[in-house]
Amino acid sequence: MTQQYNYYENVKNDVLDFIKDNEININKVDREELNEQLWVEDSVTGNGSGSYTFNANKAKEYVDDNKDLIREAIDEGFMDRQKTAEWWLDDCYESIDVSLRCYVLSQAIDDAIEELED
């Protein structure tokens, strides 16, 4: 049995990589500006191109592992129930995957910066 894909942990690691690769000074970083930048960064959310994985089967695997997170994002008003159901029925798993990455992004940024400050 494979381990469930953890969006929070994986997006946080992508944020850490982005910060390190771009030599961002975390002591001077504007979190809102960083959030806006990463919102469309394919290596973090996939929202720039519409895909993080560039692999529908991999996205489906990640999404299928995280129905509770999808429900949470819908309950929080971040994702639309009807649109998400349409994506699911149309096998648009990459759209759901990107939405989940954007949903956890702010927390991932906070966690990454906290980790770097320690």
Side-chain angles (χ1 to χ4, degrees), residues 7 53 55-64 93-94 97:
Y7 275 93
T53 61
N55 181 319
N57 290 329
K58 182 58 75 177
K60 181 182 186 320
E61 178 184 319
Y62 294 162
V63 167
D64 282 348
Y93 299 104
E94 290 170 294
D97 178 62

Side-chain angles (χ1 to χ4, degrees), residues 6-15 44 101 104-105 108:
N6 184 322
Y7 275 93
Y8 285 100
E9 190 65 26
N10 283 282
V11 174
K12 179 192 82 171
N13 288 335
D14 289 339
V15 170
V44 178
R101 290 176 194 287
V104 303
L105 179 61

